[in-house]
Amino acid sequence: MRLGVGLLAVSVLAAGCDASENKWSDWTVTAYYTAVESYHDGPRETVHGCIYLDCVDDDAQLGDLPSDFVDAVRDEGTGRITSGSNAGAYLNWSYDAGFWLDSQPRDAAGEILQPFRSAAADGLAPGTRLRLTDCGIIDPEAAATCAKFQAAEWSVGDEFIPGPGGPRHLDLYIGEETSADFADSTDFLLFAGAAIEPINDLPDGA
């Protein structure tokens, strides 16, 4: 459930599109991920919440976890626990429900997040399928990331916490954290002035 997502952008790239062109131009594109506890080592804090989604008792003890991991879960919406009795479970968070344990990372509709398919956006209906057609004005460092994002077909199912999203902001899910410096990788370049196109109504093979 992506309601707790923050904005992850390490590099800001210049925008070059006219916002008046149409609703599919001049988008800001960022990325989000599932945090993994083993890549975090902050002071331990006790986390309370639900032992399953939509539970009644939201004050159950869910574990003593690194504080920077807990912060990452608040920013990204989900994280995989790797220690203690809940190792292997996912710690999910949303601004309106708090923390809960789950068997999978999930979006706002309760669907399982899929790397290089799941997306969050403000102003697009859930279920909208789209492609990133133009990354905007980019530097050479961003070319590989741009190509990887353009090759995928994305489906909007996630939501932003009220406030941080903003109009024409698309956030793309790229899977689990794979290193302690994961957020410093080129996958987190911010694309400004990007263009997207819906693919819901395109004919087969288009």
Side-chain angles (χ1 to χ4, degrees), residues 45 104 128 131 142 149 187 201:
E45 66 173 270
Q104 300 285 347
T128 298
R131 295 189 183 100
F149 287 177
D187 283 341
D201 299 323

Side-chain angles (χ1 to χ4, degrees), residues 27-140:
W27 282 74
T28 297
V29 178
T30 53
Y32 68 110
Y33 65 97
T34 294
V36 177
E37 181 194 351
S38 58
Y39 296 119
H40 298 265
D41 57 5
R44 296 268 166 172
E45 66 173 270
T46 302
V47 177
H48 292 85
C50 286
I51 58 174
Y52 54 87
L53 182 60
D54 295 329
C55 74
V56 176
D57 178 13
D58 62 359
D59 196 38
Q61 185 169 321
L62 305 182
D64 293 325
L65 300 167
S67 58
D68 54 340
F69 171 69
V70 177
D71 289 342
V73 172
R74 286 193 181 98
D75 286 340
E76 304 307 316
T78 184
R80 181 165 57 85
I81 298 171
T82 59
S83 70
S85 59
N86 290 320
Y90 288 84
L91 179 68
N92 291 335
W93 183 87
S94 74
Y95 81 99
D96 57 348
F99 290 105
W100 76 93
L101 294 180
D102 207 320
S103 60
Q104 300 285 347
R106 298 187 188 274
D107 66 17
E111 299 297 324
I112 297 171
L113 289 171
Q114 300 180 55
F116 290 91
R117 181 166 180 83
S118 300
D122 283 348
L124 295 179
T128 298
R129 293 169 53 236
L130 57 88
R131 295 189 183 100
L132 175 65
T133 59
D134 188 339
C135 295
I137 298 175
I138 64 175
D139 59 33

